[in-house]
Amino acid sequence: MQSRSRALLLTLVYLSLAVGCGAAFAARADVIDPSVDRSPVDLALSPDGKWLVTANETSGSVSLIDAAAGRVVDELRIGSHPAHIDFTPDGTTILATNQWSGELSLLAIREDKLAAIGTVHVGGHPQGFAIAPDNRTVYVGLTAAAQVAQVDLRSLSVVRRIDVGNWPRYLTLSPDGTRLAVGSSGDAEIEVIDTATAEALYEEPLANGVNIGHMTPSADGQYAYFTWMIYRTNPITRDNIQRGWVLASRIGRVRLDGASYREAISLDVPEMAVADPHGLAISGDGQRLVASSSGTHELLVYRLPDLPFVSTGGPGDLIDRRLQRDRDRFSRIDVGGRPMGLEIASDNQTVYVANYLKNSLQSVDLKTKQVVREIDLGGPSTPSPARQGMAIFYDAQHSLDQWYSCHSCHQNGGINSRPMDTWNDGTEMTLKTVLPLYELTQTGPWTWHGWQEDLDDAMKKSFTVTMQGKQPTQTQTDALIEFLSTMPSPPNPFTEPDGTLSAAAQRGKELFHSSRAACADCHSGPQFTDGEIHDVGTGSKSDHYDGYNTPTLRGTYRKVRWMHSGRAKSLERVLTDLHSPEKVSGLPKLSDDEVDDLIAYLRSL
């Protein structure tokens, strides 16, 4: 209750500052430490083209930029970990999701200042959203909850929750608002939903897909376009990487007006691949499609009308040679840093880019293929060692021919949805689920088999073996470890608002620590791992090492696959079959109620 009262008080303070005669940007900017990196992850352009706004992830703020003058005129703190931002179609309201605080923030521009006008708690780590043409209805992807929240902006309430696939990070609406396309990255599929009934009309699978990025509709409402990557489940060799047979990048589209197999193009150029495609925008005249390749620091510019999209049997492993030979059909613009969200101005020539690592908003000219303006959003003049390590983590140029980055597998330091062969145990095709990197320095030894006891050596092997790149310098290795050791873990959305456990989770906790389930015999301590190697009968014949390192249970709610092989797609199967008490320690089978309580507790960790 205190936190809500404090939030209301802060809102009133912000409102009074916005409308007060002497309100000044400098006064409010002091609230946000000028030495804090802004890290803009997304941006939006007002319908009249006058204003730009950025969602700044690490500073928890929104910046207001005068588009014509090219300068920041205001900044307002909104919440924890902003993820997505946009104007309502009528331009009166700005919406932004705060992923870690579970909120949708509503802002307005009053007398050239930002004003907070409302907040809707949606929970579940909200990320992308889509605004209906009525300026009232918003659909918000709840990544941790496998749901889309339908929000009414007039009542500031969630009016419906729609169950979808795992990790619905980004979504888009048809221009008439009747079809909602949801990128369920955890299940590697695009779901198309009838907004009137909230029923899924059809799902389009993305075989072996990971990391679905931004989505946008075509003007005629026929297609939803999106970026994604594909993991091909082949041994990590130089030849396989260069053929696009390990990780590769795609732009795809699915029909919004009826089920039809997805169509796609390959993005990767031989010896100069594309990595971590993320942002996506289509020009108003329908002639250009622009994507951000965040791992290779560039924009990818395509002539849309004759893009060679291929459905069944395609699109092939490398870029269509016709695109590669024609710079009007395909070109690359180096912008540096980490380009993320994009907007194309009404002139169909200017692209605005939220550049995460440069703490800037960039203006790029599609004709000259140059960055013509860079607007500093604030932050330190010299990056800290951790920030330098962050740049390495997101940089695909540390891999062979820049095919993938650390982020490609450990999305934002976490996990992805596929078991992978990282080759770090010296064997091919012993696929294992990707382990999260949060609290990495506290969870040694490392790897599923626990053979790696030297974190410094582990970092170097990641670059030279898993990524087949060059040996990093010691300075680079130290910076990367500094970044990982200071990277915060996302807050758990499955606890009560005050951080306490639900009644079911409390019962599950007691069971977890009891001799009845004996979970804490191995999953002990603050990270729920004893750091020891155990053989509990879950191994594979192809394993090079015996036994498995007890994995941390922190962040269990984030997973969509469990066990080292990923063969469990639910916690229920883990507890009742593959890793049940009777199989692990010969204890009696858990009842259905005990399983439910234990799952509630595991999700709260």
Short mmCIF file of all heavy atoms in Angstrom, two decimals, residues 34 46 48 81 94 98 100 118 123 195-196 218-219 232 248 297 324 334 340 420 448 473-474 478 490 498 517:
data_model
loop_
_atom_site.label_atom_id
_atom_site.label_comp_id
_atom_site.label_asym_id
_atom_site.label_seq_id
_atom_site.Cartn_x
_atom_site.Cartn_y
_atom_site.Cartn_z
N PRO A 34 22.69 11.79 -14.29
CA PRO A 34 23.19 12.01 -15.65
C PRO A 34 24.29 11.02 -16.05
O PRO A 34 24.57 10.85 -17.24
CB PRO A 34 23.73 13.45 -15.61
CG PRO A 34 23.94 13.74 -14.16
CD PRO A 34 22.90 12.97 -13.43
N SER A 46 5.64 10.75 -33.27
CA SER A 46 4.25 11.20 -33.19
C SER A 46 3.64 11.27 -34.58
O SER A 46 4.34 11.49 -35.57
CB SER A 46 4.16 12.57 -32.50
OG SER A 46 4.85 13.55 -33.24
N ASP A 48 2.08 13.49 -36.13
CA ASP A 48 2.34 14.74 -36.84
C ASP A 48 3.81 14.96 -37.14
O ASP A 48 4.19 15.97 -37.75
CB ASP A 48 1.77 15.93 -36.06
CG ASP A 48 2.42 16.11 -34.69
OD1 ASP A 48 3.39 15.39 -34.37
OD2 ASP A 48 1.94 16.96 -33.91
N HIS A 81 12.78 -1.01 -16.27
CA HIS A 81 13.07 -1.73 -17.51
C HIS A 81 12.03 -1.46 -18.60
O HIS A 81 11.37 -2.39 -19.09
CB HIS A 81 13.14 -3.23 -17.22
CG HIS A 81 14.40 -3.88 -17.75
ND1 HIS A 81 15.65 -3.59 -17.26
CD2 HIS A 81 14.58 -4.80 -18.72
CE1 HIS A 81 16.54 -4.31 -17.89
NE2 HIS A 81 15.93 -5.05 -18.78
N ILE A 94 1.00 8.71 -25.08
CA ILE A 94 2.16 7.86 -25.27
C ILE A 94 2.02 6.67 -24.32
O ILE A 94 1.72 6.85 -23.13
CB ILE A 94 3.47 8.61 -24.95
CG1 ILE A 94 3.63 9.84 -25.84
CG2 ILE A 94 4.68 7.68 -25.10
CD1 ILE A 94 4.63 10.84 -25.32
N ASN A 98 6.69 -1.22 -18.87
CA ASN A 98 7.79 -1.36 -17.91
C ASN A 98 7.87 -2.83 -17.55
O ASN A 98 7.10 -3.34 -16.74
CB ASN A 98 7.52 -0.52 -16.66
CG ASN A 98 7.37 0.94 -16.98
OD1 ASN A 98 8.26 1.55 -17.57
ND2 ASN A 98 6.23 1.52 -16.64
N TRP A 100 9.98 -4.95 -15.98
CA TRP A 100 10.30 -5.52 -14.67
C TRP A 100 9.32 -5.09 -13.57
O TRP A 100 9.19 -5.77 -12.57
CB TRP A 100 11.73 -5.17 -14.28
CG TRP A 100 12.73 -5.97 -15.05
CD1 TRP A 100 12.50 -6.77 -16.13
CD2 TRP A 100 14.13 -6.03 -14.82
NE1 TRP A 100 13.67 -7.33 -16.59
CE2 TRP A 100 14.69 -6.89 -15.80
CE3 TRP A 100 14.98 -5.43 -13.90
CZ2 TRP A 100 16.05 -7.17 -15.86
CZ3 TRP A 100 16.33 -5.71 -13.96
CH2 TRP A 100 16.87 -6.57 -14.92
N GLY A 118 -1.32 8.12 -16.14
CA GLY A 118 -1.95 6.89 -15.67
C GLY A 118 -1.02 5.70 -15.74
O GLY A 118 -0.02 5.72 -16.47
N GLY A 123 1.25 -7.00 -14.93
CA GLY A 123 2.01 -8.15 -14.47
C GLY A 123 2.64 -8.93 -15.60
O GLY A 123 2.51 -8.60 -16.79
N THR A 195 -9.73 -10.64 -32.75
CA THR A 195 -9.84 -9.75 -31.59
C THR A 195 -11.26 -9.65 -31.05
O THR A 195 -11.46 -9.30 -29.89
CB THR A 195 -9.31 -8.34 -31.93
OG1 THR A 195 -10.04 -7.82 -33.05
CG2 THR A 195 -7.83 -8.37 -32.25
N ALA A 196 -12.25 -9.95 -31.86
CA ALA A 196 -13.63 -9.89 -31.38
C ALA A 196 -13.93 -11.03 -30.42
O ALA A 196 -14.59 -10.83 -29.39
CB ALA A 196 -14.61 -9.93 -32.57
N SER A 218 1.41 -5.12 -42.98
CA SER A 218 1.38 -4.42 -44.27
C SER A 218 0.19 -3.47 -44.28
O SER A 218 -0.79 -3.66 -43.55
CB SER A 218 1.26 -5.43 -45.42
OG SER A 218 0.09 -6.21 -45.29
N ALA A 219 0.27 -2.43 -45.09
CA ALA A 219 -0.79 -1.41 -45.10
C ALA A 219 -2.14 -1.98 -45.52
O ALA A 219 -3.19 -1.51 -45.08
CB ALA A 219 -0.38 -0.27 -46.04
N ARG A 232 19.75 -24.56 -36.53
CA ARG A 232 19.59 -25.68 -37.45
C ARG A 232 20.03 -27.03 -36.89
O ARG A 232 20.02 -28.03 -37.60
CB ARG A 232 20.35 -25.38 -38.75
CG ARG A 232 19.83 -24.17 -39.50
CD ARG A 232 18.49 -24.43 -40.14
NE ARG A 232 18.60 -25.42 -41.18
CZ ARG A 232 18.98 -25.14 -42.43
NH1 ARG A 232 19.25 -23.89 -42.79
NH2 ARG A 232 19.07 -26.08 -43.33
N ALA A 248 21.16 -18.71 -38.08
CA ALA A 248 20.99 -17.85 -39.24
C ALA A 248 19.83 -16.89 -39.00
O ALA A 248 19.01 -17.11 -38.11
CB ALA A 248 20.74 -18.69 -40.49
N HIS A 297 25.50 -4.13 -35.90
CA HIS A 297 25.55 -2.66 -35.81
C HIS A 297 25.09 -1.96 -37.08
O HIS A 297 25.66 -0.96 -37.49
CB HIS A 297 26.98 -2.18 -35.49
CG HIS A 297 27.81 -3.15 -34.73
ND1 HIS A 297 27.49 -3.58 -33.47
CD2 HIS A 297 28.97 -3.81 -35.05
CE1 HIS A 297 28.39 -4.43 -33.04
NE2 HIS A 297 29.29 -4.61 -33.99
N GLN A 324 21.78 -9.56 -53.38
CA GLN A 324 23.18 -9.23 -53.10
C GLN A 324 23.81 -8.41 -54.22
O GLN A 324 24.69 -7.57 -53.98
CB GLN A 324 23.98 -10.53 -52.90
CG GLN A 324 25.34 -10.32 -52.28
CD GLN A 324 26.04 -11.64 -52.02
OE1 GLN A 324 25.44 -12.71 -52.12
NE2 GLN A 324 27.32 -11.58 -51.68
N ASP A 334 25.94 0.99 -41.88
CA ASP A 334 26.61 0.84 -40.60
C ASP A 334 26.27 2.03 -39.70
O ASP A 334 26.52 3.18 -40.05
CB ASP A 334 28.13 0.77 -40.81
CG ASP A 334 28.90 0.53 -39.52
OD1 ASP A 334 28.26 0.26 -38.48
OD2 ASP A 334 30.14 0.63 -39.54
N MET A 340 18.28 -0.80 -32.29
CA MET A 340 17.15 -1.61 -31.83
C MET A 340 15.87 -1.17 -32.55
O MET A 340 15.68 -1.46 -33.70
CB MET A 340 17.03 -1.51 -30.31
CG MET A 340 18.27 -2.02 -29.57
SD MET A 340 18.48 -3.80 -29.71
CE MET A 340 17.28 -4.37 -28.52
N MET A 420 20.82 -26.85 -27.49
CA MET A 420 21.84 -26.51 -28.48
C MET A 420 23.13 -27.29 -28.24
O MET A 420 23.41 -27.74 -27.13
CB MET A 420 22.15 -25.01 -28.43
CG MET A 420 21.04 -24.13 -28.96
SD MET A 420 21.53 -22.38 -28.97
CE MET A 420 20.40 -21.73 -30.20
N TRP A 448 26.73 -27.90 -17.86
CA TRP A 448 25.80 -28.89 -17.32
C TRP A 448 26.54 -30.01 -16.58
O TRP A 448 26.03 -30.56 -15.61
CB TRP A 448 24.96 -29.49 -18.45
CG TRP A 448 23.66 -28.78 -18.65
CD1 TRP A 448 23.33 -27.91 -19.66
CD2 TRP A 448 22.51 -28.86 -17.81
NE1 TRP A 448 22.05 -27.44 -19.49
CE2 TRP A 448 21.52 -28.02 -18.38
CE3 TRP A 448 22.21 -29.56 -16.65
CZ2 TRP A 448 20.26 -27.87 -17.81
CZ3 TRP A 448 20.95 -29.41 -16.08
CH2 TRP A 448 19.99 -28.57 -16.66
N THR A 473 41.11 -10.73 -25.87
CA THR A 473 42.20 -10.28 -25.03
C THR A 473 41.81 -10.45 -23.57
O THR A 473 40.63 -10.64 -23.24
CB THR A 473 42.52 -8.80 -25.29
OG1 THR A 473 41.40 -8.00 -24.87
CG2 THR A 473 42.79 -8.55 -26.77
N GLN A 474 42.77 -10.36 -22.68
CA GLN A 474 42.45 -10.48 -21.25
C GLN A 474 41.58 -9.32 -20.80
O GLN A 474 40.68 -9.49 -19.97
CB GLN A 474 43.74 -10.52 -20.43
CG GLN A 474 43.51 -10.88 -18.97
CD GLN A 474 42.85 -12.25 -18.81
OE1 GLN A 474 43.31 -13.24 -19.38
NE2 GLN A 474 41.77 -12.30 -18.04
N ASP A 478 38.02 -9.87 -19.04
CA ASP A 478 37.71 -9.27 -17.75
C ASP A 478 36.46 -8.40 -17.82
O ASP A 478 35.62 -8.41 -16.91
CB ASP A 478 38.90 -8.42 -17.26
CG ASP A 478 40.12 -9.26 -16.90
OD1 ASP A 478 39.97 -10.48 -16.72
OD2 ASP A 478 41.21 -8.68 -16.82
N PRO A 490 16.09 -10.49 -13.58
CA PRO A 490 14.75 -9.90 -13.59
C PRO A 490 13.96 -10.28 -12.34
O PRO A 490 14.09 -11.41 -11.84
CB PRO A 490 14.11 -10.51 -14.84
CG PRO A 490 15.25 -10.91 -15.71
CD PRO A 490 16.34 -11.32 -14.78
N ASP A 498 3.99 -7.77 -2.36
CA ASP A 498 4.95 -7.40 -1.33
C ASP A 498 6.15 -8.34 -1.27
O ASP A 498 6.97 -8.26 -0.36
CB ASP A 498 4.28 -7.33 0.05
CG ASP A 498 3.68 -8.67 0.47
OD1 ASP A 498 3.77 -9.65 -0.31
OD2 ASP A 498 3.13 -8.75 1.58
N ALA A 517 9.98 -34.70 -0.15
CA ALA A 517 10.39 -34.46 -1.53
C ALA A 517 11.91 -34.46 -1.69
O ALA A 517 12.43 -34.80 -2.74
CB ALA A 517 9.83 -33.14 -2.03
#
